[in-house]
Amino acid sequence: WLLRARKVSLKSTGPTNAFWSSNGMANNASAAVEPAPLTDYFVHENGVTFAGRHLLVDLWDAEHLTDIEFIEQTLRNAAEAAGATVLDVKLHQFSNSGGVSGVAILAESHISIHTWPERDFAAIDVFMCGTCNPHNSLPTLKSAFAAKSITVNKARRGIVT
């Protein structure tokens, strides 16, 4: 996308008044504007800057994998445990197996889930930026789905330094 800026003159064409000075600047305006500090919610940890923490969670011998209302509430609880803000939850249930795929859309990124009830397996992604801690969602997920086994792979996404 290419944006074009228009040059707009603030210079007064009439006599000066309480708002406009003779140099065309507003009387309450300063000549230089300092740029605002960067607030991109990147994480700064141990000298490394990155977009966020991404957990790839495998739950084995799990339960409640076809209960769509239960899954929605569990995703909301997991987000809350991590300190995240839920914006929306979208889930779809498959008619052939009863498996569920979906996502909790967070202000800080997302938690997604895909279940295979025929294998008692769920694959969950937890990706968060800012001050949220996705690791805090793990006890909620393991307990709610009564998983006998959990595997977690961790990644830092968008490493800058």
Side-chain angles (χ1 to χ4, degrees):
W1 292 77
L2 179 62
L3 300 177
R4 295 184 183 185
R6 284 188 313 151
K7 185 175 180 182
V8 178
S9 173
L10 294 178
K11 193 154 186 106
S12 173
T13 57
T16 61
N17 60 34
F19 184 76
W20 295 103
S21 67
S22 59
N23 68 2
M25 293 186 65
N27 283 330
N28 62 350
S30 62
V33 176
E34 292 295 320
L38 187 62
T39 54
D40 58 10
Y41 301 99
F42 268 47
V43 178
H44 308 283
E45 181 179 84
N46 299 325
V48 179
T49 300
F50 52 98
R53 297 174 186 91
H54 198 163
L55 305 183
L56 304 175
V57 183
D58 291 347
L59 301 177
W60 288 99
D61 296 316
E63 300 175 5
H64 311 293
L65 301 180
T66 60
D67 187 339
I68 199 163
E69 290 83 16
F70 181 87
I71 291 171
E72 178 174 351
Q73 191 56 53
T74 299
L75 295 181
R76 290 180 182 280
N77 293 345
E80 182 180 336
T85 304
V86 177
L87 301 176
D88 200 2
V89 178
K90 298 290 186 184
L91 298 170
H92 174 80
Q93 188 157 34
F94 297 93
S95 58
N96 58 342
S97 68
V100 175
S101 288
V103 63
I105 303 164
L106 311 175
E108 301 82 6
S109 198
H110 71 271
I111 301 174
S112 65
I113 185 166
H114 306 280
T115 71
W116 285 263
E118 67 276 14
R119 296 198 179 255
D120 300 325
F121 173 72
I124 301 172
D125 287 11
V126 183
F127 180 43
M128 296 180 182
C129 64
T131 59
C132 295
N133 188 342
H135 294 92
N136 292 345
S137 68
L138 296 176
T140 299
L141 295 169
K142 184 175 181 184
S143 172
F145 291 110
K148 293 183 179 74
S149 174
I150 182 171
T151 303
V152 179
N153 289 297
K154 306 171 190 179
R156 290 178 174 171
R157 303 294 305 272
I159 296 175
V160 176
T161 57

